[in-house]
Amino acid sequence: MNHGAQDISVFSLAIGFLALLIPILILNYFKIKIIKDLAISLLRMTLQLSLVGVYLEVIFKINNLWINLLWIIAMILVTAWTSIKRVKLNLKNYIFPVTLAILISLTLTNIFFIGTIIRPAYLFDARYLIPISGMILGNSLNHNIVGMSTYLDAFRTKKELYYFILTNSGNRQLAIQPFIKESIIRALNPLIAGMSVMGLISLPGMMTGQILGGSSPATAIKYQIMIMIAIFTGCFFSLLLSIIFANKKLFDKFGNLS
Amino acid sequence: MIEIKNIYLKIEDKEIFKNFSVKISKNEHVCFSGHSGKGKSTLLKIIQGYVIPQNGIIQIDGKILNPENVKSLRNLMSYIPQNVNLPVENLYELINFIGAKNYEEKIFNILEILKINKKEATKPFDQLSGGEKQRIIIAFCLSLNKQIILMDEPTSGLDNESSNIIIELVKNLKNNTIVSVSHNPLWWQSCDKIIEL
């Protein structure tokens, strides 16, 4: 049982877009101004995925160590760049610490999950390395944005708590602890909630993809469980390290949020 | 003990301090009062090095506050903020969190003076009134044996009886330099000097 999914012709795919007509008509009727954003997003998604499709076809065919690694580094850089921009931090100051944090967390997660659990014949096989890294990075991006924003907002709104702990304990690591805690809870809670209803509310994307691609449901489930643990671990380390590495730039010489 | 010399502080186009100077002697209790927005609480943050004026000098215990000595100078201080949501459930957790196990007995002794018994004091914070929490924070900070005690509106949220107990307690602290900010005329009784900003 390893036959690929039924291919969709470009024409059929174009017909698929027609499903959006009714929501667009209703949006237009109620003057809900998201039609332009929707059109731009659809266009971007189609273009980006088409390009990625072409790239991946080539990358999978060549399956060269350096090209695969280069692709991963490009993905890490885009993840770091997007998180910094969304959190509204200075790109020049934070690109290095955040990239380093994501690089370390992804490397460790990949070594553990691809290297010791999946154990493909070739460790850097693009077929495993790129999609799994992509899923971890995609999730890290979202959770990093939520976590870093929460961390910074908490410092702005709860300054007194920081001053109270720092002056009375004399320990800066202790003073930032409640803020890291809050950031991790806020960032990872949706992931934990998502895991708890997985399979009940929806079949997760990766598992569905694998089943459509011809894998047995048993294999798809094992992969799905593994990828969820990998995503959680990757997101956790990526956020924690991003905060730890960014702290050097976030605070001035007096220990104040700059 | 604490000397603020000619500080100039501007925050978001608002001049908070313009050539402001003050000298607080060792073991003196000075209270700053005045309308809101005059920089009273900011002054406490300046002393702790949390707000850095654009100009001027802050000297504590004979040393000019700078990035190299800010940690050791903060170690001389204890800070009682006006309102703080603690990240812990109860007093025991606060003691463990801050690493104040050695001061536990002293904390409960001060709390007895502040009319809160051990059973009451160790209840979850969310079951305590604002005034009870304030007294616990005051007892906690006073027990830390710091030379300088900074208090931001220490009697806010307290009734007159509780305020009086704290005032009496603070009056008897003869070996600490106390810098406070308060609107409360009752509190002023505990001070050696009141400076209107």
Side-chain angles (χ1 to χ4, degrees):
Chain A
M1 189 175 163
N2 203 12
H3 41 81
Q6 178 74 37
D7 193 16
I8 303 173
S9 70
V10 176
F11 179 71
S12 303
L13 189 63
I15 291 191
F17 275 80
L18 292 178
L20 291 166
L21 264 180
I22 296 169
I24 288 173
L25 286 173
I26 295 172
L27 287 170
N28 189 44
Y29 180 79
F30 286 106
K31 295 191 170 42
I32 302 170
K33 290 177 181 167
I34 54 167
I35 298 173
K36 195 178 156 195
D37 290 342
L38 174 69
I40 292 170
S41 292
L42 282 169
L43 190 69
R44 278 190 60 169
M45 174 186 76
T46 312
L47 276 173
Q48 284 162 198
L49 287 179
S50 306
L51 284 173
V52 167
V54 174
Y55 288 154
L56 288 182
E57 286 266 355
V58 176
I59 283 174
F60 281 17
K61 199 176 277 176
I62 301 170
N63 206 9
N64 173 280
L65 165 72
W66 300 109
I67 293 177
N68 293 351
L69 289 181
L70 205 65
W71 182 259
I72 298 285
I73 287 171
M75 285 161 78
I76 291 173
L77 279 170
V78 173
T79 309
W81 184 84
T82 314
S83 1
I84 295 164
K85 279 279 167 199
R86 291 293 296 273
V87 182
K88 296 192 175 93
L89 286 171
N90 182 303
L91 192 64
K92 206 175 127 197
N93 284 345
Y94 293 95
I95 191 74
F96 180 71
V98 176
T99 304
L100 187 66
I102 298 173
L103 177 71
I104 293 174
S105 70
L106 184 70
T107 308
L108 293 176
T109 318
N110 274 346
I111 287 173
F112 183 69
F113 286 96
I114 302 181
T116 65
I117 294 176
I118 303 178
R119 282 185 288 175
Y122 175 44
L123 183 64
F124 297 98
D125 194 336
R127 214 175 117 220
Y128 294 95
L129 186 66
I130 291 171
I132 289 178
S133 300
M135 289 185 80
I136 296 171
L137 288 174
N139 280 279
S140 293
L141 170 67
N142 293 332
H143 299 291
N144 249 15
I145 291 170
V146 174
M148 294 283 284
S149 305
T150 305
Y151 185 65
L152 295 172
D153 287 346
F155 270 109
R156 286 178 194 120
T157 54
K158 295 176 187 167
K159 276 183 186 163
E160 288 296 309
L161 174 64
Y162 177 66
Y163 300 153
F164 173 79
I165 303 172
L166 187 51
T167 300
N168 291 314
S169 73
N171 183 339
R172 202 166 73 85
Q173 299 309 319
L174 205 65
I176 60 172
Q177 237 184 62
F179 300 94
I180 296 183
K181 205 167 144 186
E182 188 176 336
S183 145
I184 288 175
I185 291 173
R186 187 78 65 87
L188 298 184
N189 249 347
L191 206 52
I192 295 169
M195 273 199 271
S196 72
V197 294
M198 201 153 270
L200 287 178
I201 295 178
S202 65
L203 285 183
M206 181 189 178
M207 189 175 140
T208 312
Q210 273 191 300
I211 292 172
L212 285 175
S215 295
S216 76
T219 307
I221 283 166
K222 281 185 264 179
Y223 265 86
Q224 186 61 46
I225 293 170
M226 188 218 61
I227 196 68
M228 286 314 294
I229 299 169
I231 286 173
F232 185 85
T233 320
C235 288
F236 173 80
F237 283 117
S238 154
L239 174 59
L240 188 68
L241 293 177
S242 292
I243 290 176
I244 292 171
F245 295 162
N247 270 343
K248 273 195 182 301
K249 301 271 178 189
L250 281 172
F251 293 92
D252 64 16
K253 288 184 251 170
F254 285 88
N256 303 322
L257 194 70
S258 46
Chain B
M1 183 74 200
I2 300 172
E3 200 172 350
I4 292 172
K5 288 184 204 167
N6 294 322
I7 56 163
Y8 177 84
L9 177 71
K10 191 176 180 183
I11 300 176
E12 290 168 1
D13 293 338
K14 193 182 171 196
E15 277 181 341
I16 314 277
F17 293 111
K18 206 173 166 184
N19 292 325
F20 176 79
S21 298
V22 68
K23 198 172 177 179
I24 300 162
S25 309
K26 194 175 180 184
N27 300 336
E28 193 177 25
H29 181 175
V30 173
C31 177
F32 292 96
S33 73
H35 297 294
S36 56
K38 289 280 184 183
K40 302 183 298 294
S41 299
T42 309
L43 206 53
L44 297 183
K45 275 143 204 146
I46 289 174
I47 294 170
Q48 294 170 86
Y50 293 129
V51 174
I52 311 298
Q54 283 86 11
N55 254 318
I57 286 172
I58 296 106
Q59 204 166 325
I60 293 156
D61 203 21
K63 297 176 189 91
I64 293 173
L65 183 76
N66 62 45
E68 281 70 44
N69 64 18
V70 67
K71 195 178 172 194
S72 63
L73 292 181
R74 271 184 200 143
N75 270 338
L76 300 173
M77 306 173 199
S78 176
Y79 174 52
I80 301 167
Q82 188 177 356
N83 274 316
V84 65
N85 278 323
L86 296 170
V88 288
E89 302 285 318
N90 58 41
L91 178 58
Y92 280 132
E93 286 189 17
L94 179 65
I95 292 169
N96 284 331
F97 181 68
I98 302 279
K101 198 80 186 150
N102 294 341
Y103 306 106
E104 195 174 307
E105 204 183 321
K106 199 171 174 196
I107 295 170
F108 288 113
N109 288 342
I110 298 175
L111 279 167
E112 283 291 332
I113 301 170
L114 297 181
K115 302 256 162 67
I116 299 186
N117 61 39
K118 198 169 181 174
K119 196 179 162 197
E120 203 60 26
T122 50
K123 274 185 177 175
F125 285 141
D126 57 10
Q127 288 177 24
L128 299 172
S129 69
E132 284 169 323
K133 262 192 277 186
Q134 178 76 349
R135 279 183 280 167
I136 288 174
I137 290 173
I138 290 174
F140 178 82
C141 293
L142 293 185
S143 71
L144 297 175
N145 271 341
K146 301 290 180 89
Q147 170 57 45
I148 300 167
I149 298 167
L150 307 167
M151 306 172 111
D152 195 352
E153 297 287 357
T155 55
S156 73
L158 297 182
D159 55 28
N160 279 356
E161 194 194 339
S162 305
S163 298
N164 279 324
I165 299 169
I166 291 173
I167 289 163
E168 283 309 310
L169 179 75
V170 171
K171 263 186 193 171
N172 291 321
L173 297 173
K174 302 289 181 200
N175 297 316
N176 299 89
T177 307
I178 303 172
V179 184
S180 64
V181 162
S182 180
H183 285 106
N184 186 354
L186 270 178
W187 177 257
W188 298 343
Q189 297 169 18
S190 70
C191 312
D192 301 314
K193 205 191 279 174
I194 296 144
I195 299 172
E196 175 93 16
L197 289 181

